[in-house]
Amino acid sequence: MDAYARFLDLFGPSRLTELVFTARLLPAAEAHAVGFVHEIVPAEGLDARARALAVEVAERAPLTLRITKEAIRRLQAARRLPDGEDLIALAYGSADFREGVRAFLDKRKPRWTGR
């Protein structure tokens, strides 16, 4: 449920609802536009960009990096949605969830019952 709160902040309720309800894949340009990803790198340049970013981060003060990482973790923890476990149990314990998994494995469209 925590992921939904972060996605809600990035995408807004309308776009998040559309993405979740339709299971639409998010194109890279759209993900970048809303801040879901900070950079788009062509596949052939991915290793070089990762190395360059690692070198840049490694040049920063280790204590500051550790404190910043912990501060971000604490902010995320403070914004967690309360009482979401019941919703997760309802979804993953449902007959529709089992049907969805079976349909995926059988490579067929699911037959939803709402249960």
Side-chain angles (χ1 to χ4, degrees):
M1 295 303 295
D2 298 332
Y4 282 121
R6 289 191 291 272
F7 293 149
L8 184 63
D9 288 344
L10 286 171
F11 297 118
S14 177
R15 185 174 301 178
L16 178 61
T17 300
E18 183 262 336
L19 287 170
V20 173
F21 280 14
T22 63
R24 176 172 70 86
L25 294 177
L26 192 65
E30 188 177 351
H32 185 259
V34 297
F36 189 63
V37 297
H38 75 279
E39 184 176 0
I40 300 172
V41 179
E44 63 274 4
L46 195 55
D47 287 342
R49 181 62 186 127
R51 279 190 199 90
L53 190 56
V55 167
E56 184 178 349
V57 171
E59 291 173 350
R60 305 296 179 249
L63 182 60
T64 301
L65 293 174
R66 191 173 88 216
I67 290 168
T68 302
K69 185 176 177 180
E70 177 61 16
I72 291 168
R73 188 200 63 76
R74 288 181 187 185
L75 282 169
Q76 288 176 323
R79 298 177 62 198
R80 292 204 165 116
L81 289 177
D83 303 324
E85 294 300 317
D86 61 324
L87 300 175
I88 293 170
L90 182 62
Y92 290 107
S94 70
D96 273 356
F97 178 79
R98 290 187 298 278
E99 167 59 13
V101 171
R102 278 193 303 273
F104 176 80
L105 294 173
D106 295 345
K107 297 182 184 346
R108 62 172 172 80
K109 281 193 161 201
R111 293 180 291 274
W112 308 119
T113 63
R115 294 185 195 136

